[in-house]
Amino acid sequence: MHPPHLRDKALQLRAQGVSFGEICRRLGLSKNTVGHWFYGDRARHRAELDAERSRCPRCDKPPRPPDDPPSYAYLLGLYLGDGHMVTRARVPVLRVFCADAWPGLIDECAAAMTNVLARRVQRVQKQGCVGVQSYSKHWPCLLPQHGPGHKHHRPIFLAGWQQPIIDEHPGSLLRGLFHSDGCRVTNRIRRGDKAYEYPRYNFSNESADIMGLCQQSLDRLSISWRMCRRNMLSVARREAVARLDEFVGPKW
């Protein structure tokens, strides 16, 4: 068993372009030993880990933003609404639950996971909904809002690197939020003998912090809103609904 510093030195010399035979001569090691370090199972495993790390923009050196910011903002909205993360398992798993009634939403959620990080996305059928899920040790890096318990029982705020993404793509975040905890409905009212119908959006969430993120994104797009009650936001003015339709629209 050779000390680790010899293997590290061999790898360093290799990176500098020193030939295989010269590395063996300088370190006084056999070709079998150096070859195992360079080409054996351990070397292949280390290369796989390095490749996996490079897939995570936050583990890159230096850290970088996600490669697909609109998909990331959309996935963040879905997670803040109907998603959760299990980190107690050996490999963390991100799950977003989507109602069976909206197959298009299920497909878009799976596509967003793939665009952001996932190599593989699974769809697990539940009663009345599908759990769209992906395993990766790097989901906690990309969704630092995860934590124990319900989201409305803990603070939810954006990390410094997330804020510019949401500032630039508020419509994508709103799309994720309304696709998870929101809806577009036809409101009907009667005044005397006349009945009126008009579309409106509702967004419900128990977390004041998540509600604040929704409000801020609406403000960035100059979309008027009001609070119907403590945990429900409404977008009902005709021009505001038309503007939000550009980013969200009915579920499908």
Side-chain angles (χ1 to χ4, degrees), residues 177-178 181-182 201-205 210-211 214 231-233:
L177 290 174
F178 278 93
D181 278 347
Y201 283 92
N202 293 325
F203 175 73
S204 301
N205 199 287
I210 295 176
M211 184 64 71
C214 181
N231 62 348
M232 177 179 284
L233 175 149

Side-chain angles (χ1 to χ4, degrees), residues 3 27 53 84 88 111 138 147 150 172 175 180 182 188 221 234:
L27 300 181
R53 278 194 293 271
H84 82 284
R88 296 185 302 274
H138 294 291
H150 298 291
S172 296
R175 184 173 177 82
S180 54
R188 296 177 175 85
L221 296 173
S234 171

Side-chain angles (χ1 to χ4, degrees), residues 20-243:
F20 181 84
E22 179 63 17
I23 293 174
C24 296
R25 189 189 67 77
R26 289 190 191 182
L27 300 181
L29 297 171
S30 70
K31 292 182 178 180
N32 286 339
T33 297
V34 178
H36 179 69
W37 288 345
F38 288 175
Y39 312 112
D41 292 340
R42 182 176 296 180
R44 285 193 293 271
H45 181 61
R46 184 177 295 106
E48 291 171 357
L49 291 177
D50 290 342
E52 177 69 13
R53 278 194 293 271
S54 68
R55 281 180 56 80
C56 175
R58 304 313 302 163
C59 292
D60 209 355
K61 296 180 181 179
R64 67 181 196 275
D67 297 329
D68 189 337
S71 291
Y72 176 78
Y74 176 68
L75 182 61
L76 176 61
L78 290 177
Y79 166 73
L80 293 176
D82 287 332
H84 82 284
M85 191 184 306
V86 178
T87 58
R88 296 185 302 274
R90 184 174 63 87
V91 179
V93 56
L94 170 66
R95 292 190 179 100
V96 177
F97 292 96
C98 306
D100 288 340
W102 318 120
L105 194 159
I106 296 171
D107 290 341
E108 192 168 355
C109 175
M113 287 187 181
T114 301
N115 293 341
V116 172
L117 177 68
R119 292 186 183 275
R120 191 181 330 180
V121 177
Q122 300 169 322
R123 305 183 188 201
V124 181
Q125 184 65 54
K126 305 287 185 180
Q127 185 173 359
C129 68
V130 172
V132 184
Q133 65 181 35
S134 168
Y135 287 84
S136 173
K137 63 181 179 181
H138 294 291
W139 282 123
C141 310
L142 289 167
L143 295 169
Q145 287 71 30
H146 71 90
H150 298 291
K151 298 186 191 79
H152 63 279
H153 288 160
R154 64 178 190 268
I156 300 291
F157 55 88
L158 297 179
W161 61 270
Q162 291 177 300
Q163 190 66 60
I165 298 174
I166 302 309
D167 290 344
E168 188 173 352
H169 303 281
S172 296
L173 177 70
L174 290 172
R175 184 173 177 82
L177 290 174
F178 278 93
H179 275 185
S180 54
D181 278 347
C183 61
R184 187 185 190 275
V185 299
T186 299
N187 204 44
R188 296 177 175 85
I189 60 174
R190 178 174 292 277
R191 292 178 179 173
D193 295 333
K194 294 185 177 181
Y196 301 88
E197 294 184 353
Y198 62 92
R200 68 184 288 180
Y201 283 92
N202 293 325
F203 175 73
S204 301
N205 199 287
E206 293 295 330
S207 168
D209 292 338
I210 295 176
M211 184 64 71
L213 292 175
C214 181
Q215 295 167 349
Q216 292 165 19
S217 294
L218 289 169
D219 289 342
R220 288 190 187 96
L221 296 173
S222 300
I223 297 174
S224 60
W225 53 271
R226 67 182 182 88
M227 296 300 296
C228 302
R229 52 180 185 265
R230 175 191 58 80
N231 62 348
M232 177 179 284
L233 175 149
S234 171
V235 175
R237 291 187 177 181
R238 181 181 301 174
E239 66 278 6
V241 171
R243 176 67 168 152

